Structure formats: structure tokens, C-alpha cells
Amino acid sequence: MDGFHDTTTAGVTELRVHGVSGTPPADILNHPHPRQVCGDDEAGFYRRWWPGGQPTGPDADLPGIRRREAYAWGGLTSGGKTIALWLLLLPFALVNLAYFMLPRPAPRSPGRTPSRWGTLLRDVAEAGLRLYALLLTGALVGAVTRAAVDLVGWQCANARRSCTLPDAPSWVQWLNALWPNEISPRLALTALVPFAVVVLLWVIGRRTWKRDEGTAMPSNGAESTSALLAQPRLWHGEGPVGRLRALHLAFALGSIGLVVALPYTGIGVGLALTLANAGVQVAAMLLVLLPGVARRVNPRSDSGRPWLDGVCVAVRWAGLGAFVVTFLVALNGLPNGAPAYRLPAGVLGRVNFALTSGVALVLLAVVLGLVLMDRQREARRPVGGMASWFVLMAATACVNALGLGVVFWTASFFGVPDSMNSGISADGPGRRLFLGDETWWTASLLPVVGVGALVVGVVLVCVRLRVAAALAPKLAEPYGAENQTTVARMWALASLTDKAGLVLGVLSGFGLVGFAVVTVIYQRELLIPVGGVAGLMATLGSWALAALLVGLVLLGRRAYSDNGLRRTIGISWDICTFWPRAIHPLAPPCYTERVIPDLLRRLRTLAPGETDRVLLSGHSQGSVIAVAAIMQLDPEMKKRVSLLTHGSPLRRLYAAFFPAYFGPDCLKEVAKVPWINLYRRSDPIGGPIFHRIPNAAADPEEAGETAKGPGSITGPVTEWATVATTASDTGPLMGSVTRPGSSHVVDRHCWDPARPEHGERLPIAYWHSDYWLDPAYQESVAFLTGRPGGPAVTVTRVEAPDQVGS
């Protein structure tokens, strides 16, 4: 190849890791000609190619001395054309988030084990979450089953119903034409629709399981530490994800077979099929409670449990066998029972409701107990530390919304959705397809949540105005009287991210209160969802749910051919799928189980000798990935790595919502490597790591955010960033010139917009993007790599605080 392309590894390498939305390699490198040096199209390493030959200048690559490299992992979450289908799996991703948000009481003193009660509550919470995840799988598959088997197979295809009329679609009229007087064959054939959904989930889950969870961890391990993020087993989920997937598939298949067989329990074969499918579901529920099913083992020392793998696979095959037998027997024909306008399977709905509600209440009590026992509870946490449970309720709401959307859309497409309380005319039901009152009451909750969202929006607007009004006078000196209001509004808007816990709590509160009210009304039959305000809310909810499903389908269809839209949708998965599929195996795949091994191998390649160094530079989500990778390094490799984070959500979001993984233990470990963090007050995502900003209206000067001019890395050392050692403890970094007695803190504030000179217009604001172009970035790179022109200071080890406030 003509031109110049550095392929050496000796010396210093600046390794950049991008954030969300799949930033192209050219943008990461800030160079128009990237060339891949390692990896593949989904996740690869790139360097700059110079078509004009070897360049000169302080920023150029020099073989054996310095170079810039980029790691582009966006293809794992925003590259495939089927990514929009993952939107339907959002509830499952939220269940996994709820698991990692669980409070985990730490020992009262270092070196001791957690209390017995804390361990017991943690085990109960994890088992309850696994069972709840299984029930959510059953709920979503059950909604598709109800739409296909009940609405189409039982109701619509019956004589003189919607699917038998001349204007009905021809591809459903044949159901009644072939079996005008038999119901079970129609149920069997329509059951193939939810069966196809389950098969699709299995195929997608297995493909991503082989690609991601099947990636082997490097053999060089991290030092022994109590920090959860440093455990190699966290990124080694091949065994547990496979076992959980088998149980979820068995449970889903059992739920389909149970709906087909339940109407025929009056005869021997029907009762036997019902018991067989129910037995598969019970076996799956019991197995999913076992800790060993989801236990992740250290890939460098421990071994798995092959016998448990075999049991889970056996249950999966039993579920498939029970469904196949049920399908064949029903297709052959079963005697019709008493006539009914709806599928007589209401007992399934009541059992599922009781199970789900009971597990949710148990989890509420257990999570509350964990919060009270957590020794970090004095630190402010979103929703009082109960974010795990509230996110779980959000997952439940998403499942209900998607499931009811399928039901209402099906009823609207094939006929007219109605309630049995409307009565049956002498001419029969006609085009009406009947849904249970519980379905209508659940749909009526959507307008309630909509009102909650409106209230939250009004509150956030008021908060922004208040914060901007308090900030504006303090910005007159750096930005001038003509710009202070504009900048204050920018900063106030970015500060609303800190209210994420409030938004979650208020929306969940509206939904839970509404759910409690309609449950009481439904159970005591105080009202019927027909006519009046109740009927209006139920109707509005049904329209909104059907529109939601159609919108998701259209979005997926457009995203299939629109690369830009796929990247936008991929932002959601960049955040949600950082965490492994520890609870729900059918969630979108965890890209980190591929990314972390990639980075560990590459770091070893780039710094094979004691004099070689790597500056790991992470933007936004890339900073979280970088920290997770550093936590997996052994002590020798940590001496060869330094860290530069910018626009980082580490403290603002991850330490707040995932304190057990990104709390003090994690930060103390990361702070053992030289580290600089750049942040802006206009950035709605990133923020300081150790330097606490008391509130959004704090004076920038008082908060220690004043940049002291070119080459300045230092700033006030606050209670959140304490210099704990001297230069002699660590020595100079990468050969940089030292100056005795000096030090640096991790956090450095970057003015955004840049402060204008007198008489100049206000520069544009970069918000969360383009930190690479900020002068502070280049100064930090020069400092951390010992490049000429960097400030002559000694890097001292910065210890993490005991707590990380929100």
C-alpha cells in the first residue's frame, strides 16, 4: 500500500474508545483515512493512513515512538439491519438493568464477609428477579398467544364471525372453511404464530450468544479485589445464559401448549396435555430459582456445572415435546365442549396475575431491606436507593404495553374490540371480538401515565427556569452580561439529567397508584369499562396501544434501510446492553462481553514491555468501557496504562444507579492509574468523577472549575478528590519532567461555550460531543504521555472518596 501507515507497537499509544451511536473510525481518529489493523467490521482497531507519506509534526504517528489508534465497537449495537427488532425486547433489557441496580450491603469493615441477613436477602432478590424475568417472558408470549389463538382461532374463525365474512382476508377464511364445526384444529394452527415468535427469539438469542458470551477472556487476570467490576466472571456468561435461555424457551412453549389444551380438560387426553405443559412450566420455575443456574464462574480457574446444563436442556426438549404432541392431538381434532364466546382460559390470567403480583411484592420488601442494610445508604441515591424495583416496574409496564398493543391491534384488524359487558344481541356477536375486563382496565392506565408524564414535563421546565435564574448572575464575569442568560439556560438544561431518579419515581408512582385503583375496581366489580369516564379512558388506552405497536413496526421497517436511524436506535442499546444478560437471556446481547476481551488483548499487544505505555481515552460510554477494562488488568499492566475520560457518565449515572459496581471500591481501583477526567457544565451526560458540584447553580469559581490557562492540569483539591500519596510513591509518569511538591486532581472543567473575548460573539456550544477538539484534551494527552509541551508536574495517586454523592 502506498503512503504511510504505522503498524508498530513500541512506545506510546493513544487508544481512543468512542461512545454511543457507533462513531465512525474517521471521526474518532479525526483523520479522513482510517485503516483497520485488528478485529472485524463489528468491532475493530483502526489507525491513521497518510496517503502522502510519513508526516511530520507533533501530532503525527512515529514508528516505535507514538501513534493514535481507535477502537470502533459500534457495529455490535448499531450495525445490523435487524436492530430495530430489539425495541420489542426493551422490557427484557430493563430487567437486567434492575439486577445490576440492586443494593449490595458491604461488610462493616474491610476483609470481613457480608452479614448472613444481607447475603440471604441478596440471594432471595436474585432468585426473585430470575423468576420475575421468566414470568415476563410468559406474559409477552402469552399476549401473542391470546391474540392468535383466542381472537383469531377461537372467536374470529367461528361461524358468522369476522373471519368468515366476505370482506375478511382470504388467508384466514379457510380456517372456518376447513373446520366449520371443529375448534381444536383452528387452535392448533393459530398456535403456530406464537411458536414462530419463540423460535425467532431462540435463533436470535443463540446467534448472539455464540458471538458475544462465547468470547473467551484472556488468561492474564486482574489482581484479587473485592470490587465487583473487577471479577472476570462478570464478562463470562456463556454457561448461565445458555441455561437460562433453555428454561425461558421451555416456559414459553409450555404457556402456548397450555392455552391450546386447557379448554379440553374435561376429557382424559386434554387433561393429560394440560398437566404435561403445566409440568414443564413448573419445572422451569423451580429450576430458575436455583442459584447455580445463573452462577457465573471465573473463566481462569473455576469450572461450570455440566449436569445442570443437561437438566436445563432436558426441560427445554420436554417443553418442545409437550407442545408438539399438543399440536398434533389438537390438529387431529378434540371434541368441542360447551359453547363460549371467548377462549375459556381465564384461570391462566388469574394465576399469572397472582404470581407476578406476589413476586413483585416480595421483591419490594427485599430491595427495601437491602437499602436499609447498605452501609452506603447515607449517600443520596436515585429514588432513595429503590431504583432497581422501580426499573423492574417499568419493565412490567413495557411488557403490558407491547402485549396489549398486539391484542388490541389484532382485534381492530380482524373485527371490533369489545367487552362482554356490552351484551350480545339476538343476531349474535357479529364482528365484535371480546376482550376481558382486565384487558380494558389495564389499557385505561395509559392515559394515567400520560398525565404523569405531563406533570413531570411541567416540573422539569420549572426546575430549569429556576436553576437558570440562579446561574445567570454568576456567569456575568466569564461570559458577559449579554451572554449570561443564554449560557445559564444551556447549563440548566444539562442539569436536568440529575433528575432522572425523580422522573422514574413520579412516572412509576402514577402507574402504581392507577394500577392499585383499577385492581380494586375490577376485583370488587365496582365499575365496568364500558361507557362513562372508565369506558373513555379504556378506549383511549386501546387506541394508543394499537398505535404504539404500529409505530414500532413502521420504525423497524424504516430502520432496516436507514443506516442513520439504526445508529440513533442503537444509542439505547449502547446504554442498556453494557450489562450482561445475567437475569433475562432473551434481552439484546451484551456487547461488553466481546469488547472487554478485545481491549485486554489489544492492551497486552500495545504494551508488551515495561517501557511501553498506553493512554486509554474514553468518551461517554467509552469511558465506562475503559474503566471496566482497567479493572480487569493485572498489576503489571496497570503500570503501563493511563486513563483519560471525557463526557463521562461514570459518577452522574453509573455510580448513582449502579453503586455496587461503580461505587467507592471501583473508583479506588481505577484511581491507581494516572487519570484525568474532562467535563463540561453544558454536557447533559458527562460530569466530574470526584469533584462534587453541590448543585446546578453553584458558582463555577467556588466549585473549583476555573481553568488556569494553557498547560494547567491542577485545580482545587476538594473533599471529593484527595491527594493521598507523594511523588515518591509512584514516580514520574511516562518519563515526564517532575516538579517536586506539585500534584493534580482527576477532574478538569472545560468551558463550554468557550469564553469569548471582549466584543466577540458567543462561540458555539459542543455540549456532549467533540471533546477531542478541545484544547484541554490535547493538553491532557501531552501530560499523560509525557509528550513535549506538556506541563511539568508530578502525577500523584488520587484516592477515591469513601462515598460518591449524586
Side-chain angles (χ1 to χ4, degrees), residues 337-367:
Y341 289 111
R342 289 184 59 212
L343 184 69
V347 64
L348 291 180
R350 290 190 291 271
V351 171
N352 289 335
F353 175 79
L355 275 174
T356 304
S357 301
V359 176
L361 291 176
V362 170
L363 286 172
L364 174 62
V366 171
V367 173

Side-chain angles (χ1 to χ4, degrees), residues 14-17 28 68 615-619 644-646 678 748 750 770-784:
E14 178 194 349
L15 178 56
R16 296 181 174 183
V17 184
I28 308 172
R68 180 184 299 169
L615 169 59
L616 195 54
S617 172
H619 172 246
L644 175 58
T645 55
H646 35 104
L678 306 178
R748 178 180 180 183
C750 302
D770 292 331
Y771 274 89
W772 337 89
L773 306 180
D774 196 298
Y777 181 87
Q778 298 303 326
E779 295 167 8
S780 300
V781 171
F783 169 66
L784 290 171

Side-chain angles (χ1 to χ4, degrees), residues 103 158 192 231 281 297 300 330 374 416 456-457 462 555 563 617 710:
N158 215 343
L192 292 178
Q231 304 301 320
Q281 289 196 298
V297 299
R300 297 157 183 157
D374 189 359
V416 179
V456 168
C462 294
L555 182 65
N563 183 58
S617 172

Side-chain angles (χ1 to χ4, degrees), residues 513-663:
V513 171
F515 174 76
V517 171
V518 299
T519 299
V520 171
I521 293 175
Y522 170 64
Q523 294 293 339
R524 294 185 173 273
E525 299 181 353
L526 302 178
L527 291 172
I528 59 174
V530 177
V533 176
L536 176 62
M537 294 182 64
T539 302
L540 290 176
S542 67
W543 289 346
L545 289 167
L548 172 66
L549 183 68
V550 173
L552 287 176
V553 172
L554 294 177
L555 182 65
R557 181 179 179 182
R558 181 182 173 189
Y560 187 82
S561 57
D562 189 335
N563 183 58
L565 182 59
R566 286 203 303 275
R567 288 182 58 190
T568 302
I569 295 174
I571 293 176
S572 302
W573 306 127
D574 292 345
I575 299 171
C576 291
T577 59
F578 169 84
W579 296 104
R581 295 187 276 199
I583 293 295
H584 206 300
L586 302 180
C590 168
Y591 60 85
T592 323
E593 297 204 45
R594 159 75 187 276
V595 167
I596 297 299
D598 279 0
L599 279 175
L600 294 180
R601 294 189 184 92
R602 192 60 182 169
L603 288 173
R604 175 64 67 181
T605 300
L606 294 174
E610 294 183 0
T611 59
D612 301 318
R613 298 291 184 268
V614 177
L615 169 59
L616 195 54
S617 172
H619 172 246
S620 187
Q621 190 70 10
S623 68
V624 183
I625 294 172
V627 165
I630 286 177
M631 293 292 287
Q632 294 293 324
L633 294 176
D634 57 48
E636 288 301 317
M637 277 302 300
K638 284 183 178 179
K639 297 177 182 179
R640 308 172 195 175
V641 175
S642 57
L643 179 63
L644 175 58
T645 55
H646 35 104
S648 174
L650 275 169
R651 176 179 164 193
R652 196 172 197 177
L653 296 177
Y654 280 82
F657 285 95
F658 309 98
Y661 290 85
F662 286 92

Side-chain angles (χ1 to χ4, degrees), residues 655-679:
F657 285 95
F658 309 98
Y661 290 85
F662 286 92
D665 289 341
C666 172
L667 296 178
K668 288 177 182 178
E669 291 297 323
V670 178
K672 291 180 179 180
V673 305
W675 183 8
I676 291 177
N677 176 65
L678 306 178
Y679 70 98

Side-chain angles (χ1 to χ4, degrees), residues 5 18 120 216 228 239 322 334 374 396 408 411 425 477 582 600 750 790:
H5 184 215
H18 66 79
L120 177 62
L228 294 177
L334 289 169
D374 189 359
T396 308
F408 279 110
S425 64
E477 189 278 327
L600 294 180
C750 302

Side-chain angles (χ1 to χ4, degrees), residues 72-98:
W73 51 271
L76 296 172
T77 57
S78 58
K81 293 188 175 182
T82 59
I83 188 173
L85 294 175
W86 290 1
L87 290 171
L88 302 176
L89 305 180
L90 176 62
F92 302 159
L94 292 178
V95 175
N96 280 318
L97 289 184

